[in-house]
Amino acid sequence: MVIEHEQLERSSLTRYVSPKGDFEGFRDEGHYREKLKEWGLSSAKEAKRDFLFKERNYQRVVTIKGYETYGKSEEYNTLVIEFQDGNLCCIHPAFLKEMQASSFGKESMLQLEEKDFSTPEQVTETEVKEEKQELKSESNPEPKKAKAAKPKKEKEPKIELPVDKVHFTASVKQFALTYNPFNEENDEVVVLENVQIIQEPVIELGLAWCSHSKTLKKFELAPGDQLEFDGKVAKKKLAKGKEVEEEFIVDTPVLYKVNNPSKIVKSK
């Protein structure tokens, strides 16, 4: 894509959202391709470099310089893009992806994500019937058998996830496929079990998952392999793959994702 000179003159019309400070760059070409695929911006072997930034009456060409992380466990990303005049700006990856469509202009995915669709917990029809039956039984003099009280299910203790990069031990449980709505494809992931965060005190996560990246593939992992590595963890449930074979389906919920594992050591 080639930008015209008149687009550079329109830089004063663009509202820039500058990065908060230092942001994360890409380690190499492989890391860049992996992140583009994760964001749903490109899945081709030749990673796309130029993207369109659109406003109502003009468009400009930008490149992705890096990304910021946010959220309680830093599980979300904001892109840092650079315009041809050198200005930097932050943008949600889903919003940039939507800008690439010729139909751009409708309500954006970003706006939909920011809307609050939560509603107060509603009383079900069954609960209403049970309440009416209880009131009726109170006014009825005929004795009825008392219902056996159901044992209360104990809540699992809430795990406070560390924000910074930490050291993990784990073993490979299996490989799986998860559906990526951005590129509408199934992505390869590694499911880990016996996951521990090595600190004081040790945090037992149980199951976790991570992308089966180019770096991990070099280790030729197999179920049962013992691993040690550094990384960040976020509470992000593993989504099921679409139309996949049974061997790539996980039979139990996996609630935690490990991001960017590094300093990996494998042992049997």
Side-chain angles (χ1 to χ4, degrees):
M1 298 180 187
V2 179
I3 193 168
E4 298 178 2
H5 180 67
E6 62 175 300
Q7 291 173 321
L8 287 174
E9 294 175 349
R10 288 170 174 168
S11 62
S12 60
L13 302 177
T14 304
R15 182 182 177 184
Y16 300 103
V17 181
S18 302
K20 296 176 182 178
D22 294 335
F23 55 87
E24 298 189 49
F26 303 104
R27 297 188 299 271
D28 50 35
E29 183 68 16
H31 185 218
Y32 177 73
R33 285 199 303 269
E34 182 183 334
K35 295 300 290 185
L36 283 189
K37 186 176 181 182
E38 180 183 325
W39 297 322
L41 291 170
S42 176
S43 58
K45 291 183 179 180
E46 291 294 330
K48 188 175 179 180
R49 292 291 173 182
D50 294 333
F51 297 87
L52 288 176
F53 181 92
K54 298 179 182 178
E55 291 288 356
R56 288 184 180 178
N57 55 351
Y58 71 93
Q59 62 186 31
R60 303 176 66 189
V61 175
V62 297
T63 55
I64 301 174
K65 301 298 291 183
Y67 57 96
E68 294 180 328
T69 56
Y70 68 96
K72 289 184 179 179
S73 304
E74 297 189 352
E75 68 269 38
Y76 304 113
N77 292 155
T78 300
L79 306 186
V80 178
I81 55 176
E82 183 179 39
F83 294 84
Q84 290 192 345
D85 60 6
N87 277 311
L88 296 179
C89 182
C90 294
I91 186 171
H92 193 281
F95 196 24
L96 182 62
K97 179 185 177 182
E98 191 179 358
M99 284 183 175
Q100 309 316 299
S102 57
S103 59
F104 176 76
K106 298 179 181 179
E107 188 175 27
S108 71
M109 292 166 61
L110 180 60
Q111 289 171 325
L112 290 174
E113 287 180 359
E114 289 177 346
K115 286 183 179 179
D116 184 11
F117 291 97
S118 61
T119 56
E121 187 176 346
Q122 296 180 349
V123 179
T124 65
E125 186 178 349
T126 304
E127 289 172 335
V128 171
K129 287 181 179 178
E130 288 177 354
E131 189 172 337
K132 286 181 178 179
Q133 288 174 354
E134 287 178 6
L135 291 172
K136 187 177 179 181
S137 64
E138 287 178 6
S139 60
N140 193 339
E142 294 180 6
K144 288 188 178 181
K145 292 182 180 179
K147 292 182 179 180
K150 293 181 180 180
K152 289 185 178 180
K153 188 177 180 181
E154 293 186 5
K155 292 183 179 180
E156 295 183 3
K158 186 178 179 181
I159 298 176
E160 293 291 337
L161 298 176
V163 175
D164 299 325
K165 184 175 283 191
V166 289
H167 189 67
F168 293 84
T169 62
S171 58
V172 178
K173 174 179 169 63
Q174 69 177 89
F175 299 99
L177 294 173
T178 181
Y179 182 68
N180 187 333
F182 290 114
N183 57 22
E184 299 181 347
E185 294 178 357
N186 288 317
D187 292 340
E188 296 179 35
V189 299
V190 181
V191 181
L192 305 170
E193 60 184 352
N194 304 320
V195 182
Q196 291 184 325
I197 298 175
I198 307 304
Q199 62 177 37
E200 284 296 335
V202 172
I203 298 178
E204 301 276 355
L205 289 184
L207 295 178
W209 64 282
C210 64
S211 299
H212 197 188
S213 63
K214 199 171 182 180
T215 302
L216 280 175
K217 287 179 180 178
K218 292 178 182 178
F219 288 87
E220 299 180 350
L221 299 177
D225 285 346
Q226 304 294 315
L227 301 177
E228 287 191 36
F229 54 88
D230 292 341
K232 290 186 177 182
V233 63
K235 189 166 185 180
K236 186 175 182 181
K237 188 176 181 179
L238 175 64
K240 292 182 179 179
K242 281 196 174 181
E243 299 177 359
V244 299
E245 297 178 7
E246 189 174 350
E247 64 177 306
F248 297 110
I249 298 175
V250 187
D251 54 3
T252 54
V254 184
L255 304 179
Y256 303 100
K257 181 185 179 186
V258 176
N259 294 313
N260 303 323
S262 61
K263 297 180 182 179
I264 303 165
V265 178
K266 183 184 85 169
S267 59
K268 287 289 185 179

